Amino acid sequence: MPTGDPSLCRVHGRLNSFQRTMLQWNSMYPYNAVHVVRVPEPLNQPRLHQVVNDTLNARALTELTLNKSQTTFSYSGTSREATINILPDEASCPAVLAAEMERQLNTAFDQKPPFSPFRFFAARRKNSFSLGLAYLHAVADAESIVLLLKEIVERYRGAAETRSPRRPALGKSAPRSLLLSHPGALASKLAALPSQLQNLKTSCRPSFQDTNDLRNGFTLFSLDPHGLSRLVSAAKAWGITVNDILLALLLQAFARLAPNRNQPGRRKNLSVGCIVNTRRDLAEEDRGTFGLSLGSFIITHPVPEQLSLQALACEIGRWTKTIKRKRIYLATGLELALGRLVLSFFSTAHRRKLYQKHYPLWGGVTNMNLNSLWPPRAGERPVDYVRGVSTGPVTPLVLSFSTVGTVANIGLSYRSTVYSKTGIDEFIDFFRGAIANLEVKV
């Protein structure tokens, strides 16, 4: 059994606003995320078990206790045996892997303290294996999990850790408030909040067959090098970001799924959300902390049929440039705190309906470039990496876009009570087709 470092005991910190909200969502239905990486070596089960446990203990990521009333968390730092579920070999094929990721998204963590917020699984492939990690999303953002898996894989492959591993905030609160470092962000958020609320009031609501059904469906697809190259080239040619185009594609796809919104008396606009990694806004000494550092923003648009993808994406690009310049996404905690306060007055059943009625998002995007976080070894191909995140009660569809080498792997989670399998297939066909038809010189 791995031995914990006594110096790492009583690792603790304070839950930030995003974490507190995620835990509130988790009380309605499991709010998890899942990452899977392909390890380019045969599976040695005892070695993998040892490496996983050694890594978690070295990072003091064991024996978690959540104190929701006092809004604190603590890791005991004592040794703990992590379990790794070995799946049948065929689980490495995309369809079966997607089914396992879907199962993990829909399976709650027992939070009786102390507990582990991580579940590992693996499936053999020819001369390699897939290593998966499902986790309670409130404990970590995607960047923290990527670097945790990176360390596990490098240890498994015999590479020594060359820098200090990321650990939770040690003996102090979570990284200092970003709003204290960027006070203008709060003022900008407060100034923008009335228009955001008005936009949501005029946004078309997705149709829910059952508001109490929060189960996630999940599927995987990808963009080949040609498709990703066209997307990147279009962003450069139009003077915007890939993320701006992804938001535009979401809006256009949803416009096709909501043909009745233009009828008289209907809400005309469509709204989508975007998750932002805020680590670059943290103080230098806080950027390496294991945990969750996120912001978000909302884009609302009428999405007229005659508006081209380029024109829509460029309009979105102008808005996101303002959002980034003013760092409005840093004040997401204020919005989330108001939401928690309102929800606290309602039962769990009514909470599920409130988001649908007053926060009518159709979907959202979380975008990550693995090439900067996990560059390949010399002479080797980039890692094969996929991820997915629960939709939660707010966003009935989440596009998890991961750039890996020259391709993009996409995990699509969705509320099955909102989007049918046929609707999701149409969404993917539109998404791929729109990128294939980009008129950009490559």
Side-chain angles (χ1 to χ4, degrees), residues 207-227:
S207 177
F208 288 70
Q209 295 180 10
D210 182 0
T211 54
N212 291 316
D213 182 3
L214 274 71
R215 181 173 177 82
N216 286 260
F218 186 77
T219 190
L220 293 167
F221 68 105
S222 62
L223 295 181
D224 62 17
H226 182 70

Side-chain angles (χ1 to χ4, degrees), residues 287-300:
R287 292 176 188 174
T289 302
F290 181 94
L292 189 140
S293 183
L294 298 175
S296 67
F297 61 85
I298 295 172
I299 295 294
T300 300

Side-chain angles (χ1 to χ4, degrees), residues 242-304:
V242 166
N243 201 69
D244 295 329
I245 300 180
L246 294 179
L247 289 167
L249 286 169
L250 283 183
L251 285 168
Q252 287 194 337
F254 295 140
R256 296 165 64 89
L257 297 174
N260 297 327
R261 67 190 173 93
N262 290 320
Q263 293 179 0
R266 294 269 186 171
R267 296 174 172 217
K268 301 291 190 292
N269 289 328
L270 291 173
S271 292
V272 295
C274 181
I275 292 296
V276 180
N277 183 343
T278 60
R279 288 186 177 273
R280 68 185 62 184
D281 298 296
L282 291 170
E284 184 69 32
E285 62 270 23
D286 290 328
R287 292 176 188 174
T289 302
F290 181 94
L292 189 140
S293 183
L294 298 175
S296 67
F297 61 85
I298 295 172
I299 295 294
T300 300
H301 199 282
V303 199

Side-chain angles (χ1 to χ4, degrees), residues 395-427:
T395 310
L397 181 148
V398 180
L399 186 88
S400 299
F401 191 93
S402 303
T403 301
V404 184
T406 60
V407 303
N409 292 332
I410 302 167
L412 191 65
S413 50
Y414 58 94
R415 294 270 293 278
S416 52
T417 191
V418 177
Y419 299 107
S420 65
K421 183 63 171 63
T422 300
I424 291 300
D425 289 341
E426 291 176 356
F427 177 96

Side-chain angles (χ1 to χ4, degrees), residues 129-143:
F129 67 95
S130 296
L131 175 62
L133 172 54
Y135 61 101
L136 180 65
H137 200 349
V139 305
D141 51 35
E143 181 172 325

